[in-house]
Amino acid sequence: MSDTPPAAPLTVLGPHHGGGRLADVLPSALAVLGVPGSADPLGLVPALAGVRRIAVLLVDGLGWYQLPTAAPYAPTLAGLAATVARPIIAGFPSTTPTSLVTLGTGVAPGAHGVLGFTVRVPGTDRVLTHTDWAADPSPLHWQPVPTQLERARAAGVTVTVVSRPEFGGSGLTLAANRGGDFRGAAGGDAVAAAMLAALAAGPGPTLVSGYHADLDRHGHLSGVDSAPWRVAATEVDALIARLVDGLPPDAALLVTADHGQLDIPADHRFDLDTDPRLRAGVRVVAGEARVRYLHVEEGAVDDVRAAWSEVLGDAARVRTRDEVVATGWFGPVPEEHLGRIGDVVVTCNDTYAVMASRTERPMASKLVAYHGSDTAAELTVPLLVVRG
């Protein structure tokens, strides 16, 4: 495996760690395709000279640190990881909605506004779950940044999005991938077939964006390197092998991910719904188990911060919104997006998590693996670049 990052998996990373970013993938792909005004921060243009068709596959949950674990069950992936892979940084929070929109827009989360798995809708006590988002709030208002797919289409590139059928027209799909023709495909074989068909359909510049979710799902439900996770890794390998084998001569495949995962032991789990110290002064809880956004009662920021710091100790960093924004992880955050971040932000260390057993979906506290925080294992994802 090339360019293995020196950080140990549980090391907390800063926003300037490493070179490439998930936000750089599509701008560099568009530069290869000749879209005017596209930067090439990943330096793909020289390596992909002559390429006129690009497929980008995002494998949910395939973090850089999962590659060695998957290798025994994914020989194609292992071979590519050893020769054509490099680590890039997904961004913070290291969670699917945020990363999908970061990939699709090519900008940091502060600008696009999808700042977590769940966030408070400012001015209300409503918590928006981005994966269940339909039309309220309006995706075009909630996520105002034009996507890289829209830029590509405006420049004459044929653009297709391949994802699970139920995601067609969802708020998250519109936020991340508007500008592409949507094709529903469930399962690795269907995703590969749809991506290859779209890649070969037209004579001109072509961009195909694909998404595959099963590895992440089995990691959450059963744990990384569990038997179901290994089966899912085998299926990911078959998907990638089929895409590689089917690439036209003037095409390239980019494979990346939205985050890694960490198994969370039972004795490393706090529950904010059963500990009155963690509920005192808190009006709305959002985020997810590894990164909590606490919207507090008026004047309660200092008390909430002190209580959470005392209860969690070294298991987490408890900071104000301003302090977290100042780290730079979100990039610049416009005023209209600041209220989506909690007054107090709790970022878990090591393999700790904060559950909400009564107020979130029942399964949310019963999962095995989680992500969202700023450790190397969660933030670092692979970028594989394969020419046809």
Side-chain angles (χ1 to χ4, degrees):
M1 228 169 278
S2 62
D3 300 326
T4 302
L10 295 177
T11 301
V12 171
L13 300 184
H16 304 296
H17 177 84
R21 296 287 184 271
L22 187 63
D24 299 334
V25 172
L26 285 184
S28 288
L30 266 56
V32 172
L33 296 176
V35 173
S38 296
D40 181 24
L42 296 177
L44 298 184
V45 170
L48 299 181
V51 165
R52 292 177 57 77
R53 309 164 195 264
I54 295 180
V56 179
L57 173 67
L58 187 141
V59 180
D60 201 325
L62 184 64
W64 177 266
Y65 289 85
Q66 276 74 67
L67 292 177
T69 308
Y73 320 102
T76 299
L77 177 61
L80 295 173
T83 55
V84 296
R86 61 169 132 165
I88 61 174
I89 299 299
F92 178 83
S94 53
T95 195
T96 299
T98 302
S99 289
L100 289 182
V101 183
T102 296
L103 173 67
T105 58
V107 301
H112 63 63
V114 179
L115 288 159
F117 189 82
T118 71
V119 298
R120 179 193 188 190
V121 178
T124 76
D125 286 347
R126 175 188 170 194
V127 174
L128 173 65
T129 301
H130 283 115
T131 56
D132 295 335
W133 176 22
D136 180 27
S138 164
L140 298 182
H141 173 74
W142 189 256
Q143 195 296 92
V145 178
T147 70
Q148 296 295 307
L149 282 67
E150 289 178 300
R151 291 189 60 245
R153 170 152 286 178
V157 177
T158 300
V159 183
T160 304
V161 174
V162 177
S163 188
R164 294 188 62 85
E166 61 267 30
F167 298 156
S170 72
L172 184 55
T173 294
L174 293 174
N177 292 321
R178 57 183 181 256
D181 293 331
F182 187 88
R183 296 189 183 181
D189 286 345
V191 170
M195 290 183 69
L196 289 173
L199 203 60
T206 301
L207 176 67
V208 180
S209 177
Y211 171 77
H212 184 62
D214 290 357
L215 189 73
D216 175 76
R217 180 166 60 89
H218 288 294
H220 280 307
L221 292 174
S222 303
V224 176
D225 204 25
S226 63
W229 188 93
R230 293 174 181 180
V231 172
T234 301
E235 294 170 350
V236 167
D237 198 61
L239 164 59
I240 293 173
R242 185 170 175 186
L243 290 173
V244 171
D245 291 343
L247 284 179
D250 63 347
L253 171 66
L254 311 181
V255 180
T256 190
D258 49 352
H259 54 73
Q261 287 184 318
L262 289 169
D263 289 353
I264 304 300
D267 60 350
H268 279 197
R269 299 172 181 229
F270 298 85
D271 189 347
L272 64 90
D273 284 337
T274 60
D275 190 332
R277 297 172 298 175
L278 299 181
R279 268 294 177 184
V282 177
R283 184 181 181 92
V284 176
V285 177
E288 58 191 291
R290 294 275 291 163
V291 176
R292 285 295 176 190
Y293 289 161
L294 309 178
H295 298 270
V296 307
E297 302 289 355
E298 186 174 354
V301 168
D302 291 342
D303 289 342
V304 169
R305 183 180 185 182
W308 279 68
S309 296
E310 180 179 356
V311 173
L312 270 61
D314 292 338
R317 285 150 287 147
V318 184
R319 295 170 289 182
T320 66
R321 175 194 296 130
D322 289 346
E323 288 171 335
V324 175
V325 169
T327 67
W329 265 124
F330 298 123
V333 184
E335 183 69 28
E336 59 268 26
H337 294 169
L338 280 173
R340 304 178 192 183
I341 304 169
D343 302 299
V344 175
V345 179
V346 180
T347 310
C348 289
N349 297 323
D350 197 76
T351 55
Y352 288 91
V354 181
M355 310 302 172
S357 61
R358 297 171 184 166
T359 53
E360 291 184 333
R361 291 177 292 186
M363 279 301 298
S365 294
K366 299 177 182 178
L367 303 177
V368 177
Y370 293 84
H371 50 80
S373 192
D374 51 1
T375 69
E378 295 159 281
L379 287 171
T380 314
V381 298
L383 176 65
L384 285 65
V385 182
V386 185
R387 285 197 63 138

